[in-house]
Protein backbone atom coordinates (compact mmCIF):
# COMPACT_ATOMS: atom_id res chain seq x y z
CA UNK A 1 0.00 0.00 0.00
CA UNK A 2 2.91 2.34 0.72
CA UNK A 3 4.09 1.86 -2.88
CA UNK A 4 0.59 2.53 -4.18
CA UNK A 5 0.44 5.77 -2.20
CA UNK A 6 3.77 6.89 -3.63
CA UNK A 7 2.42 6.24 -7.10
CA UNK A 8 -0.76 8.18 -6.33
CA UNK A 9 1.30 11.23 -5.35
CA UNK A 10 2.58 11.39 -8.92
CA UNK A 11 -0.91 12.37 -10.11
CA UNK A 12 -2.06 15.97 -10.54
CA UNK A 13 -2.97 17.70 -7.27
CA UNK A 14 -5.61 19.94 -8.85
CA UNK A 15 -7.97 17.75 -10.84
CA UNK A 16 -11.69 16.91 -10.86
CA UNK A 17 -10.73 13.32 -10.01
CA UNK A 18 -8.83 11.91 -7.02
CA UNK A 19 -5.20 10.88 -7.05
CA UNK A 20 -5.05 7.08 -7.04
CA UNK A 21 -2.23 4.54 -7.16
CA UNK A 22 -2.41 0.79 -7.79
CA UNK A 23 0.00 -2.12 -7.51
CA UNK A 24 -0.68 -5.60 -8.93
CA UNK A 25 1.02 -8.69 -7.46
CA UNK A 26 0.83 -12.08 -9.15
CA UNK A 27 -0.31 -15.27 -7.41
CA UNK A 28 3.20 -15.74 -6.00
CA UNK A 29 3.24 -12.25 -4.50
CA UNK A 30 5.64 -10.67 -7.00
CA UNK A 31 4.81 -7.15 -8.20
CA UNK A 32 3.92 -7.30 -11.88
CA UNK A 33 2.08 -4.02 -12.49
CA UNK A 34 2.03 -0.44 -11.25
CA UNK A 35 -0.11 2.51 -12.23
CA UNK A 36 -1.48 5.87 -11.19
CA UNK A 37 -4.18 8.20 -12.45
CA UNK A 38 -2.73 10.99 -14.57
CA UNK A 39 -5.82 13.19 -14.60
CA UNK A 40 -9.37 13.52 -15.91
CA UNK A 41 -9.99 11.51 -19.05
CA UNK A 42 -6.90 9.30 -18.67
CA UNK A 43 -6.99 5.60 -17.71
CA UNK A 44 -7.52 4.93 -14.03
CA UNK A 45 -4.70 3.58 -11.88
CA UNK A 46 -6.03 0.02 -11.83
CA UNK A 47 -6.32 -0.09 -15.62
CA UNK A 48 -2.76 1.16 -16.06
CA UNK A 49 -1.42 -1.39 -13.57
CA UNK A 50 -3.43 -4.22 -15.15
CA UNK A 51 -2.11 -3.33 -18.60
CA UNK A 52 1.45 -3.61 -17.30
CA UNK A 53 0.72 -6.87 -15.50
CA UNK A 54 -1.01 -8.54 -18.43
CA UNK A 55 -1.94 -12.20 -17.86
CA UNK A 56 0.20 -12.28 -14.70
CA UNK A 57 -2.62 -10.48 -12.89
CA UNK A 58 -4.84 -13.60 -12.99
CA UNK A 59 -5.10 -15.10 -9.53
CA UNK A 60 -3.16 -12.19 -8.06
CA UNK A 61 -3.86 -9.25 -5.78
CA UNK A 62 -4.61 -5.63 -6.59
CA UNK A 63 -3.62 -3.08 -3.93
CA UNK A 64 -5.33 0.28 -4.52
CA UNK A 65 -5.36 3.53 -2.54
CA UNK A 66 -9.07 4.14 -3.30
CA UNK A 67 -11.94 1.67 -3.55
CA UNK A 68 -12.27 0.68 -7.24
CA UNK A 69 -14.99 2.64 -8.97
CA UNK A 70 -18.14 1.14 -10.44
CA UNK A 71 -18.94 4.09 -12.68
CA UNK A 72 -18.81 4.60 -16.44
CA UNK A 73 -17.67 8.09 -17.36
CA UNK A 74 -14.93 8.93 -19.82
CA UNK A 75 -13.49 5.54 -18.86
CA UNK A 76 -15.11 2.27 -17.83
CA UNK A 77 -15.57 0.87 -14.31
CA UNK A 78 -12.37 -0.33 -12.65
CA UNK A 79 -14.36 -3.02 -10.85
CA UNK A 80 -15.20 -4.62 -14.19
CA UNK A 81 -11.60 -4.35 -15.39
CA UNK A 82 -10.38 -6.15 -12.26
CA UNK A 83 -12.97 -8.90 -12.63
CA UNK A 84 -12.13 -9.38 -16.31
CA UNK A 85 -8.42 -9.58 -15.46
CA UNK A 86 -9.13 -12.45 -13.07
CA UNK A 87 -7.60 -11.00 -9.92
CA UNK A 88 -8.36 -13.05 -6.82
CA UNK A 89 -8.14 -10.29 -4.23
CA UNK A 90 -8.45 -6.51 -3.97
CA UNK A 91 -7.14 -4.50 -1.01
CA UNK A 92 -8.02 -0.80 -0.83
CA UNK A 93 -7.15 1.98 1.63
CA UNK A 94 -9.94 4.57 1.36
CA UNK A 95 -13.62 3.91 0.68
CA UNK A 96 -15.00 5.90 -2.25
CA UNK A 97 -17.20 8.74 -0.90
CA UNK A 98 -18.59 9.51 -4.34
CA UNK A 99 -22.09 7.96 -4.62
CA UNK A 100 -21.84 8.04 -8.43
CA UNK A 101 -18.74 5.84 -8.44
CA UNK A 102 -19.22 3.74 -5.31
CA UNK A 103 -20.25 0.09 -5.44
CA UNK A 104 -17.06 -1.38 -6.79
CA UNK A 105 -16.54 -3.65 -3.80
CA UNK A 106 -20.06 -5.07 -4.13
CA UNK A 107 -19.50 -5.93 -7.80
CA UNK A 108 -16.14 -7.51 -7.02
CA UNK A 109 -17.53 -9.65 -4.22
CA UNK A 110 -20.45 -10.71 -6.38
CA UNK A 111 -17.91 -11.95 -8.93
CA UNK A 112 -16.08 -13.98 -6.30
CA UNK A 113 -13.20 -11.59 -5.70
CA UNK A 114 -12.04 -11.29 -2.09
CA UNK A 115 -12.15 -7.63 -1.03
CA UNK A 116 -10.48 -6.21 2.04
CA UNK A 117 -10.15 -2.74 3.57
CA UNK A 118 -6.42 -2.36 4.01
CA UNK A 119 -3.98 -0.13 5.90
CA UNK A 120 -3.08 3.56 5.58
CA UNK A 121 -6.67 4.74 5.15
CA UNK A 122 -5.90 8.07 6.82
CA UNK A 123 -2.94 8.75 4.54
CA UNK A 124 -5.00 7.88 1.48
CA UNK A 125 -7.79 10.21 2.61
CA UNK A 126 -5.31 13.04 3.28
CA UNK A 127 -3.99 12.66 -0.25
CA UNK A 128 -7.41 13.63 -1.61
CA UNK A 129 -8.62 15.89 1.18
CA UNK A 130 -10.13 18.57 -1.05
CA UNK A 131 -11.65 16.07 -3.48
CA UNK A 132 -13.31 14.08 -0.70
CA UNK A 133 -14.66 17.25 0.91
CA UNK A 134 -16.01 18.55 -2.40
CA UNK A 135 -17.74 15.27 -3.21
CA UNK A 136 -19.47 15.28 0.18
CA UNK A 137 -20.31 19.01 0.27
CA UNK A 138 -21.20 19.58 -3.37
CA UNK A 139 -18.84 22.56 -3.52
CA UNK A 140 -15.07 23.09 -3.58
CA UNK A 141 -13.06 23.20 -0.39
CA UNK A 142 -12.15 26.84 0.30
CA UNK A 143 -8.76 27.83 1.71
CA UNK A 144 -8.51 31.50 2.67
CA UNK A 145 -5.00 32.91 2.46
CA UNK A 146 -3.93 36.28 3.75
CA UNK A 147 -0.72 38.09 4.66
CA UNK A 148 -0.69 40.53 7.54
CA UNK A 149 1.45 42.33 10.05
CA UNK A 150 1.44 41.20 13.67
CA UNK A 151 -1.20 43.80 14.40
CA UNK A 152 -3.45 42.33 11.71
CA UNK A 153 -3.00 44.89 8.93
CA UNK A 154 -3.11 43.70 5.32
CA UNK A 155 -1.78 47.00 3.94
CA UNK A 156 -0.57 50.39 5.07
CA UNK A 157 -2.86 53.42 5.32
CA UNK A 158 -1.85 54.49 1.81
CA UNK A 159 -2.84 51.06 0.43
CA UNK A 160 0.69 49.77 -0.11
CA UNK A 161 1.06 46.05 0.62
CA UNK A 162 4.14 44.94 -1.34
CA UNK A 163 5.70 43.33 0.38
CA UNK A 164 4.43 42.58 3.89
CA UNK A 165 6.13 39.19 3.96
CA UNK A 166 9.53 38.07 2.73
CA UNK A 167 10.63 35.94 -0.24
CA UNK A 168 10.31 32.59 1.56
CA UNK A 169 6.69 33.24 2.48
CA UNK A 170 5.84 34.47 -1.01
CA UNK A 171 7.41 31.37 -2.56
CA UNK A 172 5.32 29.24 -0.22
CA UNK A 173 2.18 31.04 -1.40
CA UNK A 174 2.97 30.06 -4.98
CA UNK A 175 3.57 26.45 -3.95
CA UNK A 176 0.20 26.20 -2.21
CA UNK A 177 -1.57 28.23 -4.89
CA UNK A 178 -0.43 25.62 -7.42
CA UNK A 179 -2.41 22.97 -5.54
CA UNK A 180 -5.71 24.79 -6.15
CA UNK A 181 -8.05 24.41 -9.06
CA UNK A 182 -8.95 28.10 -8.86
CA UNK A 183 -7.63 31.30 -7.29
CA UNK A 184 -10.43 33.66 -6.31
CA UNK A 185 -10.42 37.40 -5.62
CA UNK A 186 -12.99 40.18 -5.72
CA UNK A 187 -13.24 43.00 -8.22
CA UNK A 188 -12.02 45.35 -5.50
CA UNK A 189 -8.70 43.52 -5.29
CA UNK A 190 -8.25 43.68 -9.06
CA UNK A 191 -9.02 47.39 -9.13
CA UNK A 192 -6.75 48.18 -6.16
CA UNK A 193 -3.79 45.84 -6.68
CA UNK A 194 -3.99 44.61 -10.28
CA UNK A 195 -2.67 41.14 -9.32
CA UNK A 196 -1.59 38.56 -11.87
CA UNK A 197 -2.78 35.56 -9.80
CA UNK A 198 -0.55 33.14 -11.66
CA UNK A 199 1.74 30.51 -10.18
CA UNK A 200 5.44 31.18 -10.60
CA UNK A 201 8.35 28.90 -9.86
CA UNK A 202 11.41 29.67 -7.73
CA UNK A 203 13.05 31.48 -10.66
CA UNK A 204 10.00 33.71 -11.15
CA UNK A 205 8.81 32.13 -14.39
CA UNK A 206 5.22 30.85 -14.76
CA UNK A 207 4.70 27.11 -14.28
CA UNK A 208 3.01 25.01 -16.95
CA UNK A 209 -0.28 24.30 -15.16
CA UNK A 210 -2.06 27.41 -13.98
CA UNK A 211 -5.18 27.45 -11.79
CA UNK A 212 -8.31 29.13 -13.07
CA UNK A 213 -8.30 32.82 -12.14
CA UNK A 214 -11.69 33.85 -10.78
CA UNK A 215 -12.76 37.44 -10.18
CA UNK A 216 -16.01 37.67 -8.24
CA UNK A 217 -18.16 40.79 -8.37
CA UNK A 218 -20.43 42.82 -10.60
CA UNK A 219 -18.12 45.71 -11.47
CA UNK A 220 -16.43 45.71 -14.86
CA UNK A 221 -12.72 44.98 -15.03
CA UNK A 222 -10.32 47.39 -16.76
CA UNK A 223 -9.37 45.91 -20.15
CA UNK A 224 -5.68 46.16 -19.24
CA UNK A 225 -6.04 44.23 -15.97
CA UNK A 226 -3.26 41.69 -15.57
CA UNK A 227 -5.78 38.92 -14.85
CA UNK A 228 -6.87 39.38 -18.48
CA UNK A 229 -3.35 38.98 -19.87
CA UNK A 230 -3.89 35.48 -21.30
CA UNK A 231 -1.25 33.90 -19.04
CA UNK A 232 -4.01 31.71 -17.57
CA UNK A 233 -7.73 31.25 -18.01
CA UNK A 234 -9.84 33.87 -16.23
CA UNK A 235 -13.51 33.75 -15.31
CA UNK A 236 -15.33 36.90 -14.22
CA UNK A 237 -18.10 35.59 -11.95
CA UNK A 238 -20.61 38.44 -11.97
CA UNK A 239 -22.17 37.57 -8.64
CA UNK A 240 -21.90 38.64 -5.02
CA UNK A 241 -23.16 35.32 -3.69
CA UNK A 242 -20.29 33.00 -2.66
CA UNK A 243 -22.51 29.90 -2.61
CA UNK A 244 -23.58 30.49 -6.22
CA UNK A 245 -20.02 30.99 -7.38
CA UNK A 246 -18.78 27.90 -5.55
CA UNK A 247 -21.53 25.74 -7.07
CA UNK A 248 -20.58 26.97 -10.52
CA UNK A 249 -16.93 26.22 -9.84
CA UNK A 250 -17.82 22.73 -8.65
CA UNK A 251 -19.70 22.15 -11.91
CA UNK A 252 -16.54 23.20 -13.74
CA UNK A 253 -14.58 20.46 -11.98
CA UNK A 254 -12.92 22.68 -9.35
CA UNK A 255 -12.40 20.90 -6.05
CA UNK A 256 -10.14 23.36 -4.18
CA UNK A 257 -10.39 27.16 -4.17
CA UNK A 258 -7.55 29.39 -2.97
CA UNK A 259 -9.32 32.51 -1.71
CA UNK A 260 -7.05 35.57 -1.92
CA UNK A 261 -9.70 38.26 -1.91
CA UNK A 262 -9.45 41.40 0.20
CA UNK A 263 -10.98 42.02 3.65
CA UNK A 264 -14.55 42.46 2.38
CA UNK A 265 -14.67 39.31 0.27
CA UNK A 266 -13.01 37.30 3.04
CA UNK A 267 -15.62 38.54 5.52
CA UNK A 268 -18.41 37.49 3.15
CA UNK A 269 -17.10 33.93 2.88
CA UNK A 270 -16.41 33.72 6.61
CA UNK A 271 -19.85 35.05 7.54
CA UNK A 272 -21.45 32.43 5.29
CA UNK A 273 -19.30 29.68 6.89
CA UNK A 274 -17.70 28.94 3.54
CA UNK A 275 -14.05 28.98 4.64
CA UNK A 276 -12.73 25.50 5.41
CA UNK A 277 -9.11 26.34 6.17
CA UNK A 278 -7.17 29.51 6.95
CA UNK A 279 -3.56 29.98 5.86
CA UNK A 280 -2.15 33.15 7.40
CA UNK A 281 1.30 34.60 6.74
CA UNK A 282 2.31 36.88 9.60
CA UNK A 283 5.23 39.28 9.35
CA UNK A 284 7.08 40.65 12.41
CA UNK A 285 5.96 44.16 11.51
CA UNK A 286 3.66 46.72 13.11
CA UNK A 287 1.71 49.36 11.18
CA UNK A 288 -0.82 50.64 13.68
CA UNK A 289 -3.14 51.65 10.83
CA UNK A 290 -4.38 50.56 7.44
CA UNK A 291 -7.01 48.00 6.41
CA UNK A 292 -7.41 44.84 8.52
CA UNK A 293 -7.01 41.35 7.11
CA UNK A 294 -10.76 40.81 7.38
CA UNK A 295 -13.65 43.26 7.44
CA UNK A 296 -16.53 43.40 9.91
CA UNK A 297 -17.99 39.95 10.56
CA UNK A 298 -21.01 41.31 12.39
CA UNK A 299 -19.79 40.11 15.77
CA UNK A 300 -20.52 42.44 18.68
CA UNK A 301 -19.23 40.32 21.55
CA UNK A 302 -16.42 37.85 22.11
CA UNK A 303 -18.92 35.04 22.44
CA UNK A 304 -19.82 35.46 18.76
CA UNK A 305 -16.22 35.16 17.56
CA UNK A 306 -15.38 32.59 14.90
CA UNK A 307 -13.07 30.16 16.65
CA UNK A 308 -10.30 28.28 14.87
CA UNK A 309 -8.35 25.14 15.67
CA UNK A 310 -4.63 25.72 15.33
CA UNK A 311 -3.24 23.02 13.05
CA UNK A 312 0.30 24.13 12.25
CA UNK A 313 2.78 26.95 12.77
CA UNK A 314 5.82 27.11 10.46
CA UNK A 315 8.68 29.59 10.26
CA UNK A 316 9.45 30.90 6.78
CA UNK A 317 12.43 33.20 6.97
CA UNK A 318 11.40 36.02 9.33
CA UNK A 319 7.69 35.25 8.89
CA UNK A 320 5.24 32.73 10.29
CA UNK A 321 2.75 30.60 8.40
CA UNK A 322 -0.24 29.63 10.51
CA UNK A 323 -2.70 27.00 9.31
CA UNK A 324 -6.01 26.74 11.17
CA UNK A 325 -9.47 25.24 10.73
CA UNK A 326 -12.82 26.79 11.70
CA UNK A 327 -14.29 24.81 14.57
CA UNK A 328 -17.97 25.14 13.73
CA UNK A 329 -17.98 21.56 12.47
CA UNK A 330 -17.99 22.44 8.78
CA UNK A 331 -14.28 22.76 8.07
CA UNK A 332 -12.38 19.67 6.90
Amino acid sequence: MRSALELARLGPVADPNPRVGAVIADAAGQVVGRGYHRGAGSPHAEVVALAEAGSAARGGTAVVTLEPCDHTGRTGPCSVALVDAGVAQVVYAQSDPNPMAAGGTARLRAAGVAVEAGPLADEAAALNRSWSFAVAAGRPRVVWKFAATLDGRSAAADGSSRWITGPAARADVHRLRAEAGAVLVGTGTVLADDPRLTVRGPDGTPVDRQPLRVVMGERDLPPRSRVLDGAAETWHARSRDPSTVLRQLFDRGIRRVWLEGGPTLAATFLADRLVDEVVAYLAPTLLGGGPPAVADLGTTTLGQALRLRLDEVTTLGPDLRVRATPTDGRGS
Side-chain angles (χ1 to χ4, degrees):
M1 188 64 75
R2 181 70 62 191
S3 296
L5 280 168
E6 291 304 317
L7 286 166
R9 290 189 178 93
L10 298 176
V13 177
D15 194 78
N17 294 333
R19 292 190 286 174
V20 182
V23 175
I24 307 294
D26 63 17
Q30 297 297 311
V31 174
V32 291
R34 298 176 178 85
Y36 69 93
H37 185 49
R38 297 174 182 267
S42 65
H44 288 191
E46 298 94 321
V47 174
V48 175
L50 288 170
E52 183 178 292
S55 60
R58 186 164 297 278
T61 299
V63 178
V64 193
T65 57
L66 182 68
E67 176 187 357
C69 70
D70 198 49
H71 171 66
T72 299
R74 287 191 249 185
T75 59
C78 292
S79 55
V80 173
L82 289 163
V83 170
D84 291 346
V87 299
Q89 183 181 27
V90 172
V91 180
Y92 66 91
Q94 180 190 8
S95 297
D96 195 332
N98 186 353
M100 290 183 60
T105 55
R107 183 187 292 270
L108 289 165
R109 288 186 176 117
V113 179
V115 182
E116 177 184 334
L120 306 181
D122 289 344
E123 288 190 37
L127 193 66
N128 294 302
R129 187 179 183 190
S130 294
W131 175 82
S132 296
F133 175 91
V135 166
R139 65 164 178 84
R141 185 168 174 269
V142 177
V143 180
W144 171 44
K145 166 263 172 184
F146 70 90
T149 59
L150 280 184
D151 54 347
R153 305 295 176 173
S154 62
D158 64 357
S160 59
S161 60
R162 295 181 182 175
W163 297 102
I164 287 178
T165 55
R170 298 199 298 273
D172 192 66
V173 168
H174 282 274
R175 182 182 67 82
L176 294 179
R177 187 188 280 175
E179 297 179 358
V183 179
L184 194 154
V185 299
T187 52
T189 294
V190 173
L191 295 172
D193 299 335
D194 193 23
R196 212 176 248 115
L197 301 182
T198 53
V199 176
R200 296 180 292 282
D203 61 353
T205 59
V207 301
D208 290 338
R209 193 209 72 83
Q210 294 288 338
L212 174 69
R213 299 183 290 191
V214 182
V215 182
M216 178 178 159
E218 297 175 344
R219 286 180 288 180
D220 291 335
L221 303 179
R224 295 182 180 273
S225 298
R226 293 200 290 182
V227 292
L228 303 176
D229 61 8
E233 183 182 358
T234 299
W235 175 45
H236 186 182
R238 291 183 179 271
S239 173
R240 295 182 179 179
D241 180 13
S243 294
T244 297
V245 173
L246 290 177
R247 283 195 300 270
Q248 291 173 325
L249 286 170
F250 181 85
D251 291 342
R252 293 178 69 130
I254 302 299
R255 300 296 178 256
R256 177 186 172 100
V257 169
W258 184 253
L259 177 63
E260 289 200 22
T264 301
L265 187 63
T268 301
F269 274 78
L270 286 164
D272 288 351
R273 298 296 191 263
L274 292 173
V275 170
D276 307 299
E277 182 181 0
V278 178
V279 178
Y281 295 88
L282 302 178
T285 305
L286 300 175
L287 280 172
V294 61
D296 184 7
L297 291 174
T299 56
T300 58
T301 179
L302 189 60
Q304 297 173 332
L306 175 61
R307 300 288 182 175
L308 307 175
R309 182 189 70 230
L310 187 62
D311 297 323
E312 178 188 81
V313 179
T314 303
T315 301
L316 297 168
D319 306 313
L320 293 180
R321 183 190 68 202
V322 177
R323 303 186 78 151
T325 304
T327 56
D328 64 349
R330 299 185 65 172
S332 175

